[in-house]
Amino acid sequence: MWDGWYNQPAQLRQTPIQTFLCPSDMKAPQTGWLNGPGCNYAVNSGPWLIWWDHSQVCPGTFRPNLETTIAEVIDGTSNTIMASEVLKGDDNGAQYLPGEPVRNVIPSWYNHGDPNTYLAPTLRNQPVQPYIDNLNAWGIQCQANRGDHLSNNGWNWMGANYTQTVFNTIVPPNWQYPTCIAENPPGMASDRDGAYPARSYHPGGCNHAMVDGSVRFISNTIDLPTYWALGSRAGRESVQAP
């Protein structure tokens, strides 16, 4: 079951796994939601903004409640992102830190009932720039609303959802705007529709593990359609990982 992780014994959920922790990030406070011990690595759901449902449409390497086989990674294992880095929150509602998700009204141009509206435009043969402009406009709104943020991101290595162990590639690594989550979407507070970028405290970008097991440092300034292509497993784009 998708929700089985938070019903597991606390002794298991709260056990830290050192290989899941990045030394450049702070220690998880373990004072709030489920007292998770921390996790700085997340799997890739691809260039779109949903996690909770629509598994069949999800373009990334990982999908909720649905396995992905190597044969389904049509774009090639060396050209498809498997996982990357995320940051932990500090359980302090009075202080915003990078990576802490900011709640905001999801833009009207997204329709949860039509998951295709959440896909990167290159996967729908739609113009790229209007989509980027809309994402940035939403990011600006979230930037202005940073006071309304959650601070429990990156705590639970067992949490198979956004803010915990899943990210998407709809916006670039270390996006200049806050992690944006929908205010009134389906799902729990930690798996709402939104832009959940890879984030790290490394200068200039984030480490990304590809499906073939190799690791690439991807810059914050990567061309966004290229990043979308690397985030999708079967978009049939012609691209080489940096």
PDB file of all heavy atoms in Angstrom, residues 52-77:
ATOM      1  N   TRP A  52       0.440  11.786  -6.567  1.00  0.00           N
ATOM      2  CA  TRP A  52      -0.558  10.989  -5.872  1.00  0.00           C
ATOM      3  C   TRP A  52      -1.309  10.013  -6.764  1.00  0.00           C
ATOM      4  O   TRP A  52      -1.624   8.904  -6.366  1.00  0.00           O
ATOM      5  CB  TRP A  52      -1.538  11.932  -5.163  1.00  0.00           C
ATOM      6  CG  TRP A  52      -2.864  11.341  -4.773  1.00  0.00           C
ATOM      7  CD1 TRP A  52      -4.088  11.750  -5.184  1.00  0.00           C
ATOM      8  CD2 TRP A  52      -3.101  10.258  -3.889  1.00  0.00           C
ATOM      9  NE1 TRP A  52      -5.075  10.989  -4.631  1.00  0.00           N
ATOM     10  CE2 TRP A  52      -4.490  10.059  -3.824  1.00  0.00           C
ATOM     11  CE3 TRP A  52      -2.279   9.421  -3.159  1.00  0.00           C
ATOM     12  CZ2 TRP A  52      -5.070   9.061  -3.044  1.00  0.00           C
ATOM     13  CZ3 TRP A  52      -2.860   8.423  -2.387  1.00  0.00           C
ATOM     14  CH2 TRP A  52      -4.235   8.268  -2.335  1.00  0.00           C
ATOM     15  N   ASP A  53      -1.605  10.349  -7.992  1.00  0.00           N
ATOM     16  CA  ASP A  53      -2.350   9.426  -8.854  1.00  0.00           C
ATOM     17  C   ASP A  53      -1.887   9.570 -10.301  1.00  0.00           C
ATOM     18  O   ASP A  53      -0.822  10.101 -10.567  1.00  0.00           O
ATOM     19  CB  ASP A  53      -3.867   9.630  -8.708  1.00  0.00           C
ATOM     20  CG  ASP A  53      -4.291  11.073  -8.929  1.00  0.00           C
ATOM     21  OD1 ASP A  53      -3.461  11.881  -9.403  1.00  0.00           O
ATOM     22  OD2 ASP A  53      -5.440  11.403  -8.617  1.00  0.00           O
ATOM     23  N   HIS A  54      -2.668   9.059 -11.237  1.00  0.00           N
ATOM     24  CA  HIS A  54      -2.335   9.089 -12.662  1.00  0.00           C
ATOM     25  C   HIS A  54      -1.010   8.366 -12.948  1.00  0.00           C
ATOM     26  O   HIS A  54      -0.166   8.844 -13.710  1.00  0.00           O
ATOM     27  CB  HIS A  54      -2.280  10.527 -13.192  1.00  0.00           C
ATOM     28  CG  HIS A  54      -3.561  11.294 -13.031  1.00  0.00           C
ATOM     29  ND1 HIS A  54      -4.750  10.891 -13.609  1.00  0.00           N
ATOM     30  CD2 HIS A  54      -3.840  12.426 -12.340  1.00  0.00           C
ATOM     31  CE1 HIS A  54      -5.702  11.755 -13.299  1.00  0.00           C
ATOM     32  NE2 HIS A  54      -5.178  12.680 -12.525  1.00  0.00           N
ATOM     33  N   SER A  55      -0.826   7.211 -12.336  1.00  0.00           N
ATOM     34  CA  SER A  55       0.431   6.474 -12.483  1.00  0.00           C
ATOM     35  C   SER A  55       0.775   6.166 -13.929  1.00  0.00           C
ATOM     36  O   SER A  55       1.939   6.187 -14.324  1.00  0.00           O
ATOM     37  CB  SER A  55       0.356   5.154 -11.693  1.00  0.00           C
ATOM     38  OG  SER A  55       0.215   5.398 -10.313  1.00  0.00           O
ATOM     39  N   GLN A  56      -0.236   5.857 -14.743  1.00  0.00           N
ATOM     40  CA  GLN A  56       0.018   5.467 -16.120  1.00  0.00           C
ATOM     41  C   GLN A  56       0.599   6.611 -16.945  1.00  0.00           C
ATOM     42  O   GLN A  56       1.277   6.381 -17.953  1.00  0.00           O
ATOM     43  CB  GLN A  56      -1.279   4.975 -16.774  1.00  0.00           C
ATOM     44  CG  GLN A  56      -1.840   3.702 -16.165  1.00  0.00           C
ATOM     45  CD  GLN A  56      -0.997   2.476 -16.502  1.00  0.00           C
ATOM     46  OE1 GLN A  56      -0.156   2.517 -17.395  1.00  0.00           O
ATOM     47  NE2 GLN A  56      -1.218   1.385 -15.790  1.00  0.00           N
ATOM     48  N   VAL A  57       0.346   7.856 -16.540  1.00  0.00           N
ATOM     49  CA  VAL A  57       0.824   9.005 -17.297  1.00  0.00           C
ATOM     50  C   VAL A  57       2.187   9.476 -16.803  1.00  0.00           C
ATOM     51  O   VAL A  57       2.940  10.109 -17.537  1.00  0.00           O
ATOM     52  CB  VAL A  57      -0.204  10.154 -17.222  1.00  0.00           C
ATOM     53  CG1 VAL A  57       0.232  11.342 -18.069  1.00  0.00           C
ATOM     54  CG2 VAL A  57      -1.572   9.671 -17.680  1.00  0.00           C
ATOM     55  N   CYS A  58       2.523   9.185 -15.568  1.00  0.00           N
ATOM     56  CA  CYS A  58       3.769   9.656 -14.961  1.00  0.00           C
ATOM     57  C   CYS A  58       4.958   9.322 -15.863  1.00  0.00           C
ATOM     58  O   CYS A  58       5.200   8.155 -16.173  1.00  0.00           O
ATOM     59  CB  CYS A  58       3.953   8.999 -13.596  1.00  0.00           C
ATOM     60  SG  CYS A  58       5.450   9.497 -12.731  1.00  0.00           S
ATOM     61  N   PRO A  59       5.730  10.326 -16.306  1.00  0.00           N
ATOM     62  CA  PRO A  59       6.763  10.098 -17.313  1.00  0.00           C
ATOM     63  C   PRO A  59       8.142   9.733 -16.763  1.00  0.00           C
ATOM     64  O   PRO A  59       9.056   9.465 -17.528  1.00  0.00           O
ATOM     65  CB  PRO A  59       6.840  11.449 -18.025  1.00  0.00           C
ATOM     66  CG  PRO A  59       6.554  12.436 -16.938  1.00  0.00           C
ATOM     67  CD  PRO A  59       5.547  11.766 -16.041  1.00  0.00           C
ATOM     68  N   GLY A  60       8.305   9.748 -15.435  1.00  0.00           N
ATOM     69  CA  GLY A  60       9.626   9.547 -14.860  1.00  0.00           C
ATOM     70  C   GLY A  60      10.004   8.092 -14.669  1.00  0.00           C
ATOM     71  O   GLY A  60       9.296   7.171 -15.076  1.00  0.00           O
ATOM     72  N   THR A  61      11.117   7.890 -13.997  1.00  0.00           N
ATOM     73  CA  THR A  61      11.618   6.543 -13.747  1.00  0.00           C
ATOM     74  C   THR A  61      10.794   5.827 -12.688  1.00  0.00           C
ATOM     75  O   THR A  61      10.644   4.606 -12.730  1.00  0.00           O
ATOM     76  CB  THR A  61      13.083   6.618 -13.287  1.00  0.00           C
ATOM     77  OG1 THR A  61      13.823   7.413 -14.211  1.00  0.00           O
ATOM     78  CG2 THR A  61      13.709   5.239 -13.217  1.00  0.00           C
ATOM     79  N   PHE A  62      10.253   6.584 -11.724  1.00  0.00           N
ATOM     80  CA  PHE A  62       9.442   6.002 -10.653  1.00  0.00           C
ATOM     81  C   PHE A  62       8.023   6.525 -10.730  1.00  0.00           C
ATOM     82  O   PHE A  62       7.793   7.700 -11.026  1.00  0.00           O
ATOM     83  CB  PHE A  62      10.062   6.332  -9.289  1.00  0.00           C
ATOM     84  CG  PHE A  62      11.297   5.523  -8.987  1.00  0.00           C
ATOM     85  CD1 PHE A  62      12.522   5.897  -9.515  1.00  0.00           C
ATOM     86  CD2 PHE A  62      11.234   4.388  -8.196  1.00  0.00           C
ATOM     87  CE1 PHE A  62      13.670   5.162  -9.255  1.00  0.00           C
ATOM     88  CE2 PHE A  62      12.371   3.634  -7.929  1.00  0.00           C
ATOM     89  CZ  PHE A  62      13.597   4.026  -8.457  1.00  0.00           C
ATOM     90  N   ARG A  63       7.070   5.618 -10.433  1.00  0.00           N
ATOM     91  CA  ARG A  63       5.659   5.948 -10.441  1.00  0.00           C
ATOM     92  C   ARG A  63       5.007   5.386  -9.192  1.00  0.00           C
ATOM     93  O   ARG A  63       5.427   4.344  -8.690  1.00  0.00           O
ATOM     94  CB  ARG A  63       4.980   5.346 -11.687  1.00  0.00           C
ATOM     95  CG  ARG A  63       5.486   5.885 -12.991  1.00  0.00           C
ATOM     96  CD  ARG A  63       4.937   5.125 -14.185  1.00  0.00           C
ATOM     97  NE  ARG A  63       5.625   3.849 -14.380  1.00  0.00           N
ATOM     98  CZ  ARG A  63       5.342   3.007 -15.370  1.00  0.00           C
ATOM     99  NH1 ARG A  63       4.389   3.304 -16.232  1.00  0.00           N
ATOM    100  NH2 ARG A  63       6.013   1.885 -15.496  1.00  0.00           N
ATOM    101  N   PRO A  64       3.950   6.023  -8.657  1.00  0.00           N
ATOM    102  CA  PRO A  64       3.291   5.482  -7.473  1.00  0.00           C
ATOM    103  C   PRO A  64       2.500   4.224  -7.806  1.00  0.00           C
ATOM    104  O   PRO A  64       1.766   4.182  -8.797  1.00  0.00           O
ATOM    105  CB  PRO A  64       2.362   6.614  -7.027  1.00  0.00           C
ATOM    106  CG  PRO A  64       2.096   7.384  -8.273  1.00  0.00           C
ATOM    107  CD  PRO A  64       3.353   7.294  -9.086  1.00  0.00           C
ATOM    108  N   ASN A  65       2.686   3.193  -6.995  1.00  0.00           N
ATOM    109  CA  ASN A  65       1.915   1.948  -7.121  1.00  0.00           C
ATOM    110  C   ASN A  65       2.078   1.253  -8.460  1.00  0.00           C
ATOM    111  O   ASN A  65       1.203   0.501  -8.893  1.00  0.00           O
ATOM    112  CB  ASN A  65       0.420   2.218  -6.888  1.00  0.00           C
ATOM    113  CG  ASN A  65       0.157   2.789  -5.512  1.00  0.00           C
ATOM    114  OD1 ASN A  65       0.721   2.337  -4.522  1.00  0.00           O
ATOM    115  ND2 ASN A  65      -0.699   3.793  -5.436  1.00  0.00           N
ATOM    116  N   LEU A  66       3.198   1.505  -9.142  1.00  0.00           N
ATOM    117  CA  LEU A  66       3.402   0.877 -10.442  1.00  0.00           C
ATOM    118  C   LEU A  66       4.896   0.741 -10.700  1.00  0.00           C
ATOM    119  O   LEU A  66       5.634   1.720 -10.634  1.00  0.00           O
ATOM    120  CB  LEU A  66       2.754   1.722 -11.545  1.00  0.00           C
ATOM    121  CG  LEU A  66       2.700   1.117 -12.945  1.00  0.00           C
ATOM    122  CD1 LEU A  66       1.824  -0.133 -12.945  1.00  0.00           C
ATOM    123  CD2 LEU A  66       2.165   2.134 -13.949  1.00  0.00           C
ATOM    124  N   GLU A  67       5.331  -0.476 -10.969  1.00  0.00           N
ATOM    125  CA  GLU A  67       6.748  -0.698 -11.234  1.00  0.00           C
ATOM    126  C   GLU A  67       7.122  -0.212 -12.638  1.00  0.00           C
ATOM    127  O   GLU A  67       6.297  -0.193 -13.545  1.00  0.00           O
ATOM    128  CB  GLU A  67       7.072  -2.189 -11.116  1.00  0.00           C
ATOM    129  CG  GLU A  67       6.940  -2.752  -9.706  1.00  0.00           C
ATOM    130  CD  GLU A  67       7.332  -4.210  -9.625  1.00  0.00           C
ATOM    131  OE1 GLU A  67       7.613  -4.816 -10.684  1.00  0.00           O
ATOM    132  OE2 GLU A  67       7.348  -4.753  -8.509  1.00  0.00           O
ATOM    133  N   THR A  68       8.383   0.171 -12.790  1.00  0.00           N
ATOM    134  CA  THR A  68       8.938   0.536 -14.090  1.00  0.00           C
ATOM    135  C   THR A  68      10.060  -0.436 -14.421  1.00  0.00           C
ATOM    136  O   THR A  68      10.986  -0.606 -13.629  1.00  0.00           O
ATOM    137  CB  THR A  68       9.501   1.962 -14.084  1.00  0.00           C
ATOM    138  OG1 THR A  68       8.446   2.883 -13.779  1.00  0.00           O
ATOM    139  CG2 THR A  68      10.099   2.325 -15.433  1.00  0.00           C
ATOM    140  N   THR A  69       9.979  -1.092 -15.552  1.00  0.00           N
ATOM    141  CA  THR A  69      11.019  -2.030 -15.953  1.00  0.00           C
ATOM    142  C   THR A  69      12.089  -1.305 -16.767  1.00  0.00           C
ATOM    143  O   THR A  69      11.853  -0.227 -17.322  1.00  0.00           O
ATOM    144  CB  THR A  69      10.440  -3.165 -16.804  1.00  0.00           C
ATOM    145  OG1 THR A  69       9.955  -2.619 -18.051  1.00  0.00           O
ATOM    146  CG2 THR A  69       9.283  -3.856 -16.087  1.00  0.00           C
ATOM    147  N   ILE A  70      13.261  -1.894 -16.856  1.00  0.00           N
ATOM    148  CA  ILE A  70      14.333  -1.316 -17.670  1.00  0.00           C
ATOM    149  C   ILE A  70      13.884  -1.202 -19.125  1.00  0.00           C
ATOM    150  O   ILE A  70      14.224  -0.233 -19.828  1.00  0.00           O
ATOM    151  CB  ILE A  70      15.607  -2.179 -17.574  1.00  0.00           C
ATOM    152  CG1 ILE A  70      16.224  -2.056 -16.175  1.00  0.00           C
ATOM    153  CG2 ILE A  70      16.626  -1.765 -18.620  1.00  0.00           C
ATOM    154  CD1 ILE A  70      16.743  -0.674 -15.841  1.00  0.00           C
ATOM    155  N   ALA A  71      13.092  -2.158 -19.592  1.00  0.00           N
ATOM    156  CA  ALA A  71      12.615  -2.125 -20.977  1.00  0.00           C
ATOM    157  C   ALA A  71      11.749  -0.903 -21.254  1.00  0.00           C
ATOM    158  O   ALA A  71      11.631  -0.468 -22.405  1.00  0.00           O
ATOM    159  CB  ALA A  71      11.832  -3.397 -21.285  1.00  0.00           C
ATOM    160  N   GLU A  72      11.159  -0.335 -20.193  1.00  0.00           N
ATOM    161  CA  GLU A  72      10.322   0.852 -20.371  1.00  0.00           C
ATOM    162  C   GLU A  72      11.140   2.139 -20.431  1.00  0.00           C
ATOM    163  O   GLU A  72      10.601   3.193 -20.745  1.00  0.00           O
ATOM    164  CB  GLU A  72       9.305   0.937 -19.236  1.00  0.00           C
ATOM    165  CG  GLU A  72       8.248  -0.147 -19.263  1.00  0.00           C
ATOM    166  CD  GLU A  72       7.304  -0.049 -18.074  1.00  0.00           C
ATOM    167  OE1 GLU A  72       7.675  -0.525 -16.987  1.00  0.00           O
ATOM    168  OE2 GLU A  72       6.206   0.521 -18.245  1.00  0.00           O
ATOM    169  N   VAL A  73      12.419   2.064 -20.125  1.00  0.00           N
ATOM    170  CA  VAL A  73      13.286   3.243 -20.199  1.00  0.00           C
ATOM    171  C   VAL A  73      13.786   3.353 -21.634  1.00  0.00           C
ATOM    172  O   VAL A  73      14.959   3.100 -21.955  1.00  0.00           O
ATOM    173  CB  VAL A  73      14.446   3.142 -19.191  1.00  0.00           C
ATOM    174  CG1 VAL A  73      15.268   4.430 -19.186  1.00  0.00           C
ATOM    175  CG2 VAL A  73      13.913   2.860 -17.791  1.00  0.00           C
ATOM    176  N   ILE A  74      12.899   3.748 -22.517  1.00  0.00           N
ATOM    177  CA  ILE A  74      13.173   3.758 -23.949  1.00  0.00           C
ATOM    178  C   ILE A  74      14.244   4.777 -24.311  1.00  0.00           C
ATOM    179  O   ILE A  74      15.010   4.598 -25.267  1.00  0.00           O
ATOM    180  CB  ILE A  74      11.865   4.033 -24.721  1.00  0.00           C
ATOM    181  CG1 ILE A  74      10.869   2.882 -24.492  1.00  0.00           C
ATOM    182  CG2 ILE A  74      12.131   4.209 -26.208  1.00  0.00           C
ATOM    183  CD1 ILE A  74       9.497   3.141 -25.058  1.00  0.00           C
ATOM    184  N   ASP A  75      14.335   5.859 -23.538  1.00  0.00           N
ATOM    185  CA  ASP A  75      15.303   6.909 -23.854  1.00  0.00           C
ATOM    186  C   ASP A  75      16.747   6.504 -23.569  1.00  0.00           C
ATOM    187  O   ASP A  75      17.671   7.235 -23.937  1.00  0.00           O
ATOM    188  CB  ASP A  75      14.986   8.175 -23.059  1.00  0.00           C
ATOM    189  CG  ASP A  75      13.684   8.828 -23.509  1.00  0.00           C
ATOM    190  OD1 ASP A  75      13.169   8.458 -24.576  1.00  0.00           O
ATOM    191  OD2 ASP A  75      13.188   9.694 -22.786  1.00  0.00           O
ATOM    192  N   GLY A  76      16.934   5.363 -22.920  1.00  0.00           N
ATOM    193  CA  GLY A  76      18.282   4.893 -22.619  1.00  0.00           C
ATOM    194  C   GLY A  76      18.638   5.100 -21.158  1.00  0.00           C
ATOM    195  O   GLY A  76      18.368   6.160 -20.594  1.00  0.00           O
ATOM    196  N   THR A  77      19.254   4.103 -20.561  1.00  0.00           N
ATOM    197  CA  THR A  77      19.551   4.173 -19.131  1.00  0.00           C
ATOM    198  C   THR A  77      20.595   5.230 -18.792  1.00  0.00           C
ATOM    199  O   THR A  77      20.605   5.758 -17.677  1.00  0.00           O
ATOM    200  CB  THR A  77      20.026   2.806 -18.615  1.00  0.00           C
ATOM    201  OG1 THR A  77      21.187   2.396 -19.364  1.00  0.00           O
ATOM    202  CG2 THR A  77      18.939   1.747 -18.767  1.00  0.00           C
TER     203      THR A  77
END
